[in-house]
């Protein structure tokens, strides 16, 4: 696993072979971050990485200069690996929370400007996650949700859907938090 760009560009981390998590491929990660560049000013962004897995997305967000990144990962070994990687780059603007993501969504109240969610594709609640995240208050006004999912899943009918991108077998749906102050004329 490597960091694509930013202040930690080129740093490599060897993922233990025993890991169940699959990191987002470098190809898909590079391309989705190229898309995000049009939406996100990383310097002023508080980011949340749900189902952090190997921490690949969290590391990329930190490297690109996010103000603060929170990673949520339930698996003890994965959380330890993320912590080790963060320690190696010396980032102090990171918080690791070892928790069940579905419980975290219900209980956490602080809003984030950018949320990246990469749930297991076979998660029974997968199709409800965009609504759960958007309706929870986790996404700030004008916030952006990047949701990684399998090719068979489609979210184009969701009222907050913004766009879909596919890179090989990796699919991303982007959602924008609606502006509650907008008026319908």
């Amino acid at each position: 696993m490597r960091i694509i760009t930013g202040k930690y560009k080129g740093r490599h981390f060897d993922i233990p072979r025993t890991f169940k998590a699959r990191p987002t491929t470098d190809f898909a990660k590079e391309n989705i971050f190229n898309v995000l560049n049009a939406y996100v000013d990383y310097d002023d962004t508080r980011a949340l990485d749900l189902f952090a897995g190997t921490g690949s997305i969290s590391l990329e967000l930190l490297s690109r200069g996010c103000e603060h990144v929170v990673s949520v990962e339930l698996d003890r070994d994965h959380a330890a690996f993320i912590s080790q990687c963060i320690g190696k780059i010396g980032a102090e603007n990171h918080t690791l929370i070892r928790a069940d993501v579905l419980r975290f969504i219900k209980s956490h109240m602080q809003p984030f400007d950018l949320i990246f969610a990469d749930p297991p594709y076979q998660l029974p609640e997968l199709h409800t996650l965009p609504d759960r995240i958007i309706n929870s208050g986790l996404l700030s006004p004008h916030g952006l949700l990047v949701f990684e999912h399998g090719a068979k899943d489609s979210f184009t009918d969701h009222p907050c859907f913004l766009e879909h991108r596919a890179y090989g077998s990796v699919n991303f749906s982007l959602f924008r938090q609606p502006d509650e102050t907008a008026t319908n004329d």
Side-chain angles (χ1 to χ4, degrees), residues 2-183:
R2 73 178 172 96
I3 298 175
I4 305 292
T5 197
K7 61 184 168 183
Y8 307 120
K9 178 182 179 177
R11 297 288 301 264
H12 287 266
F13 303 91
D14 294 325
I15 301 168
R17 293 178 191 260
T18 57
F19 270 28
K20 297 169 274 204
R22 46 153 179 76
T24 302
T25 65
D26 285 349
F27 174 74
K29 184 169 62 170
E30 183 171 9
N31 280 290
I32 195 61
F33 272 94
N34 285 339
V35 170
L36 293 180
N37 288 338
Y39 293 105
V40 178
D41 176 6
Y42 296 102
D43 292 338
D44 298 325
T45 296
R46 294 187 49 77
L48 175 62
D49 184 6
L50 297 173
F51 304 97
T54 62
S56 173
I57 297 299
S58 295
L59 290 164
E60 195 69 41
L61 290 165
L62 289 164
S63 186
R64 289 169 187 258
C66 280
E67 180 182 312
H68 194 84
V69 176
V70 174
S71 305
V72 181
E73 175 54 47
L74 178 61
D75 186 277
R76 178 184 53 222
D77 293 336
H78 295 182
F81 179 75
I82 293 168
S83 181
Q84 177 186 24
C85 293
I86 299 298
K88 286 181 181 177
I89 63 171
E92 295 181 8
N93 55 335
H94 178 262
T95 303
L96 175 62
I97 298 174
R98 194 169 153 244
D100 176 85
V101 168
L102 298 176
R103 287 189 180 134
F104 177 86
I105 291 169
K106 282 186 195 176
S107 64
H108 198 76
M109 299 317 242
Q110 179 183 18
F112 293 88
D113 307 304
L114 175 63
I115 299 176
F116 196 103
D118 181 9
Y121 291 177
Q122 72 279 7
L123 185 74
E125 297 87 354
L126 184 123
H127 285 93
T128 67
L129 279 172
D131 276 335
R132 287 180 187 217
I133 293 167
I134 291 166
N135 295 332
S136 71
L138 278 175
L139 197 57
S140 65
H142 303 290
L144 187 68
L145 167 62
V146 180
F147 191 71
E148 186 173 335
H149 56 85
K152 65 180 174 65
D153 302 305
S154 175
F155 297 92
T156 57
D157 291 336
H158 192 282
C160 297
F161 177 80
L162 191 60
E163 68 175 286
H164 173 260
R165 297 291 177 118
Y167 306 106
S169 63
V170 181
N171 288 262
F172 297 98
S173 288
L174 278 63
F175 302 85
R176 171 79 64 184
Q177 175 72 326
D179 184 358
E180 295 177 12
T181 62
T183 58

